[in-house]
Structure formats: structure tokens, C-alpha cells
């Protein structure tokens, strides 16, 4: 990897060679010793500029290969991940009190979430290292994204999920042929068991907070946003936060573009957590390390009481001069209805939590009317139809009778 200099511990600064099996710092351990991929920006700048992308017709995350920690022209999973739509939603913006709003809908990825980006990197790296089995723990989306991308290359997967994971996501895992271990406990307990299994059997580790390469896949959402905006930078980027890997990856993407001269400013980041599981919001405002939290929210994908990438996430928001905000489950359900009925975008609870937080940030005058905002929807609503029905309600039932039908239709407000 000519574009990668080394891996660096974000806690003590120790440097490591990017070799197979190197995930965390030996001195700082698996909690504090998270590593960061450090790139040779001079090298990237020599091989990649804005004109370079005019001649790249691969509209997937792999168009950004010069910015990724993979071997040039190395093996890649078969699914088309990335280049999700960025919608300019003028009427939606006006309705919530903004002049300019873009919605990045990452729910259209192959397994219907942003986490396909990280899993594509995991599968590519596993193939580079000739690993036959990949393992992770997940509340659902990371698991299904790994299972789908690995299946496209006939690689086996072992997935640990907490028992509360939605059935839609479990169905994906089983259809993709994954070996699913449902843990009768929390996400943290599932994570610990997956770590034990990985260490014992030598499987490739797809746990994003441990594996430093996977955040690099998530950052491609930022690279796309900037290219789709013709290299303009929004004033704010708003996204839901669980483990912390996604928002840290978003910031890394902006930094990469800034350090290679593609953009000339950096945005503010707003991280949105569920009120029932908000350890990073609390740590941000108290200016402390996070404390473990309960996982009391319908937004399963961000229900992470012990975030494994807390420090990278907190640093990203602080460096951006951004903020965190919490939303209730009721606000999340309202956001599902709002985005669906007014923009035709169907997000799962965790996927729309960012938009719920955006509305609050505008109402609290943290985000100004004239600021340009990109809000990322991280997962599709079909992954959690139970909460979609809770948000929208059940259909109207009628007997096969003409009189009853017309009576019902004439009582629907605004229909006739």
C-alpha cells in the first residue's frame, strides 16, 4: 500500500507497520489503543486530482481507491457499494427552517445501510490476507453488510448479535448464509464473545472499532458528498451516532480531502444519539471520557452503551467545532413519518435519528437558516418494519362494500 505510511495509536502516538493482524496498540490495549491509518498525502496528490475523477467511470466507493488502505487493483467484493444519491430537498428545507438541505440516502446500498462501505473494506482486506472466515459482532447492520459482501466472494462469516436485533436484519444474515450466534444479552456482551472467538480461531476481525481499516470505508460517504457537490463543503454534516465509527470516518474523509487540496475548508459535525442511549453526548458536554450507558431505544443500530470508538468520535466533533444532541424515540418515529411522507425517503429508526436531531438543532438555533446542511440517512426502513408501522399506523380496513368505501374516503381529510 504505497498510499499508507503507517498506523498510529490515537492515545500514545506509537507507530506500527500496517501488517496482517495489527489492529490495536500493544501498550494501550484494545479500549484505549485504537489505531488510525496515516496516509502519504503527497503521494495521493501526485496520482489523484479533480480531473482524475472525470475519467473514472466506476460509480462505487472504489472510485476512491487512492484514498483507501487496499492494494492497488487488489481483490474486491462483487457488490456495488457506494455512490448513493444526494438529494437537494428544497421544500423539505423550507419546512424545517433551512435555506439549503441535502439528504444523503445510504439506505440504497446493497444490504441497505452505510455499513456496506466498511464491510466492503473488510472483505477486500480479508482476501488480501487470504482469510477464509470473517467475524464480527453487530446490532444488525454491520452484520448484514458483512454477510452480503462476503457471500458475493464465497467467504464464510460468523456473526454475533444481541437477542434484540430486529428480525429483518436476522433474515438478511440467514439468507446470506451466515453463521448467526444470537447472544442472550447486550451488544457489549456480544462484542466480547466475538472477540474471544476471533482470538481463538484466527478469523478476520470485522469489528469496526477494533479494525482501523474499516472506518476508512465509511469515510467514502464524505468523499462522495463533496464530489457530488462539485467539491463544495457543507457548513454542517449531521448523522446518527452509536459506536462512533461512522462520524469519525466522516471527519477522516473531510480531512483527507482537505490535506490533498480537494477542499479549502472543513465543516462542523453534529452527532445525534438516542436519549435512551447517549454515552457520547454526555461525555462531550461533560468534557470527560464516556461512561457506560443503558441501551433503551428503538433505534437498535445506535443502541451502543459501550461505544468502542468513543475517542475518535469525540475528537472528530470537537475538532470540527460541532456538537452532539439527543432525540427521543417519539422524535425518531416522527422523523420516519416526516422524511417518508415529504421526501419519499424510507429510513430505519437509527437511519433517521440524524434528521430528528437536525430539526432540534434548527429549533434551538444552533444551525442557522442560511447554513448549508447535509444530513445522512444511514439505513433503510425495511430493516425494521415493526417500528415503521408504529410510526405510520395501520391501513384503513373496509368491507368489500361500495357504500362503506365511499363513506371512508369522504372522511379522509384533504383527500377529496
Amino acid at each position: 500500500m504505497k498510499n499508507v505510511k503507517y498506523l498510529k495509536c490515537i492515545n500514545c502516538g506509537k507507530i506500527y507497520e500496517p501488517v496482517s493482524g495489527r489492529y490495536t496498540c500493544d501498550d494501550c490495549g484494545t479500549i484505549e489503543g485504537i489505531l488510525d491509518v496515516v496516509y502519504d498525502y503527497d503521494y495521493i496528490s501526485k496520482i489523484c486530482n479533480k480531473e482524475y475523477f472525470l475519467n473514472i467511470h466506476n460509480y462505487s466507493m472504489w472510485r476512491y481507491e487512492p484514498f483507501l488502505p487496499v492494494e492497488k487493483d487488489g481483490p474486491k467484493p462483487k457488490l456495488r457499494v457506494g455512490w448513493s444519491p444526494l438529494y437537494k430537498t428544497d421544500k423539505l428545507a423550507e419546512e424545517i427552517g433551512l435555506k439549503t438541505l441535502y439528504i444523503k440516502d445510504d439506505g440504497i446500498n446493497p444490504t441497505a445501510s452505510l455499513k456496506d462501505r466498511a464491510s466492503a473494506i473488510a472483505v477486500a482486506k480479508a482476501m488480501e490476507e487470504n482469510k477464509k472466515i470473517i467475524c464480527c459482532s453487530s446490532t444488525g447492520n454491520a452484520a448484514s453488510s458483512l454477510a452480503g459482501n462476503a457471500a458475493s466472494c464465497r467467504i464464510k462469516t460468523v456473526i454475533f448479535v444481541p437477542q434484540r436485533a430486529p428480525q429483518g436484519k436476522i433474515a438478511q444474515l440467514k439468507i446470506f448464509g451466515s453463521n448467526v450466534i444470537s447472544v442472550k444479552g447486550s451488544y457489549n456482551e456480544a462484542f466480547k464473545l466475538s472477540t474471544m472467538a476471533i482470538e481463538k480461531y484466527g478469523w478476520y476481525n470485522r469489528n469496526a472499532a477494533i479494525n482501523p481499516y474499516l472506518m476508512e470505508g465509511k469515510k467514502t460517504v464524505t468523499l462522495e458528498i463533496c464530489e457530488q457537490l462539485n467539491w463544495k463543503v457543507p457548513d454542517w454534516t449531521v448523522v446518527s451516532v452509536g459506536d462512533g465509527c461512522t462520524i469519525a470516518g466522516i471527519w477522516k474523509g473531510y480531512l483527507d480531502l482537505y490535506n490533498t487540496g480537494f477542499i479549502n475548508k472543513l465543516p462542523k459535525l453534529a452527532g445525534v444519539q438516542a436519549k435512551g442511549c447517549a454515552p457520547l453526548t454526555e461525555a462531550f458536554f461533560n468534557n470527560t471520557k464516556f461512561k457506560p450507558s443503558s441501551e433503551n431505544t428503538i433505534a437498535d443500530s445506535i443502541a451502543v452503551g459501550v461505544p468502542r470508538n468513543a475517542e475518535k468520535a469525540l475528537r472528530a466533533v470537537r475538532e470540527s467545532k460541532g456538537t452532539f444532541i439527543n432525540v427521543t424515540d417519539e422524535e425518531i418515529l416522527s422523523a420516519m413519518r416526516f422524511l417518508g411522507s415529504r421526501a419519499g425517503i424510507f429510513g430505519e429508526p437509527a437511519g433517521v435519528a440524524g434528521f430528528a436531531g437536525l430539526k432540534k438543532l434548527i429549533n434551538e438555533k444552533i444551525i442557522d437558516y442560511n447554513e448549508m446542511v447535509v444530513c445522512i440517512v444511514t439505513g433503510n426502513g425495511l430493516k425494521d418494519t415493526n417500528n415503521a408501522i408504529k410510526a405510520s399506523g395501520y391501513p384503513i380496513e373496509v368491507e368489500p362494500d361500495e357504500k362503506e368505501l365511499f363513506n371512508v374516503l369522504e372522511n379522509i381529510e384533504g383527500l377529496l
Side-chain angles (χ1 to χ4, degrees):
M1 296 184 293
K2 292 182 179 179
N3 60 339
V4 175
K5 283 185 172 181
Y6 45 77
L7 306 177
K8 183 178 181 180
C9 176
I10 67 169
N11 187 50
C12 72
K14 188 173 181 179
I15 290 172
Y16 294 91
E17 289 295 316
V19 297
S20 175
R22 169 58 62 191
Y23 296 128
T24 57
C25 175
D26 292 336
D27 296 338
C28 300
T30 58
I31 302 296
E32 300 286 342
I34 303 298
L35 300 180
D36 192 30
V37 180
V38 177
Y39 289 93
D40 184 340
Y41 290 122
D42 289 336
Y43 174 82
I44 295 174
S45 297
K46 288 177 182 177
I47 64 170
C48 183
N49 54 31
K50 293 177 183 178
E51 287 71 28
Y52 167 91
F53 289 106
L54 296 176
N55 299 312
I56 299 295
H57 303 296
N58 177 0
Y59 287 96
S60 75
M61 62 178 278
W62 300 115
R63 70 190 281 106
Y64 305 108
E65 187 177 280
F67 288 92
L68 294 174
V70 294
E71 296 295 342
K72 188 177 185 304
D73 300 322
K76 308 288 192 306
K78 308 301 181 185
L79 303 183
R80 186 199 61 79
V81 176
W83 204 252
S84 59
L86 182 70
Y87 299 117
K88 189 171 188 288
T89 55
D90 292 338
K91 290 185 178 179
L92 193 65
E94 182 181 351
E95 197 164 356
I96 65 172
L98 277 179
K99 183 178 180 180
T100 309
L101 171 64
Y102 291 89
I103 302 290
K104 179 72 165 169
D105 185 9
D106 241 43
I108 63 89
N109 276 308
T111 74
S113 85
L114 183 149
K115 292 183 180 180
D116 276 329
R117 298 174 184 273
S119 289
I121 292 287
V123 173
K125 296 302 290 182
M127 288 192 289
E128 284 180 8
E129 298 179 17
N130 200 30
K131 295 283 188 177
K132 304 301 182 185
I133 298 175
I134 309 176
C135 178
C136 79
S137 60
S138 169
T139 54
N141 281 335
S144 55
S145 69
L146 171 61
N149 279 276
S152 76
C153 300
R154 305 293 180 90
I155 296 176
K156 293 182 179 179
T157 54
V158 181
I159 311 291
F160 291 76
V161 298
Q163 200 169 38
R164 61 176 169 75
Q167 288 303 299
K169 297 177 183 179
I170 298 298
Q172 278 188 300
L173 294 175
K174 297 300 294 182
I175 286 294
F176 291 144
S178 182
N179 299 283
V180 183
I181 311 297
S182 181
V183 179
K184 297 178 180 178
S186 67
Y187 167 73
N188 187 43
E189 289 167 316
F191 183 93
K192 288 179 179 178
L193 289 181
S194 73
T195 300
M196 293 175 188
I198 289 165
E199 290 177 355
K200 181 175 177 64
Y201 300 113
W203 297 332
Y204 190 82
N205 189 340
R206 186 256 176 257
N207 286 322
I210 294 295
N211 187 329
Y213 299 119
L214 303 193
M215 191 183 81
E216 304 300 313
K218 291 187 175 186
K219 81 182 181 188
T220 60
V221 72
T222 303
L223 308 184
E224 282 178 20
I225 288 168
C226 288
E227 186 180 1
Q228 289 168 329
L229 290 174
N230 195 28
W231 308 109
K232 293 180 181 178
V233 180
D235 296 300
W236 286 86
T237 300
V238 184
V239 69
S240 57
V241 178
D243 227 349
C245 303
T246 297
I247 198 166
I250 287 168
W251 185 239
K252 182 68 174 294
Y254 282 123
L255 289 175
D256 283 353
L257 292 177
Y258 184 81
N259 288 322
T260 49
F262 279 82
I263 59 176
N264 57 14
K265 73 169 190 175
L266 294 166
K268 295 178 181 178
L269 302 185
V272 183
Q273 294 213 281
K275 185 178 179 180
C277 186
L280 294 180
T281 303
E282 182 178 342
F284 178 81
F285 285 106
N286 291 334
N287 199 28
T288 61
K289 293 187 179 296
F290 83 90
K291 297 178 181 177
S293 165
S294 60
E295 298 177 352
N296 184 25
T297 175
I298 61 171
D300 63 280
S301 292
I302 56 171
V304 183
V306 183
R308 298 285 169 171
N309 222 323
E311 191 56 36
K312 276 189 180 180
L314 290 168
R315 288 186 188 185
V317 176
R318 287 169 180 151
E319 286 176 10
S320 79
K321 298 179 174 57
T323 192
F324 275 89
I325 197 167
N326 294 341
V327 291
T328 65
D329 283 356
E330 291 72 24
E331 288 168 328
I332 289 172
L333 291 173
S334 175
M336 290 181 74
R337 289 192 302 273
F338 198 92
L339 268 177
S341 62
R342 288 164 170 81
I345 297 171
F346 187 15
E348 66 170 325
V352 304
F355 184 76
L358 171 60
K359 292 177 70 177
K360 290 186 76 170
L361 290 164
I362 295 167
N363 291 338
E364 295 179 12
K365 302 189 184 307
I366 296 170
I367 293 180
D368 184 76
Y369 170 80
N370 289 309
E371 292 182 299
M372 183 172 77
V373 177
V374 171
C375 183
I376 302 171
V377 175
T378 56
N380 190 277
L382 288 174
K383 287 174 169 283
D384 191 348
T385 54
N386 288 337
N387 277 311
I389 291 294
K390 186 183 294 185
S392 61
Y394 289 92
I396 299 167
E397 294 184 349
V398 299
E399 296 293 337
D401 176 82
E402 179 180 343
K403 183 177 180 181
E404 181 179 347
L405 170 63
F406 293 155
N407 182 56
V408 167
L409 293 177
E410 289 168 8
N411 280 283
I412 298 176
E413 186 178 351
L415 187 61
L416 301 176

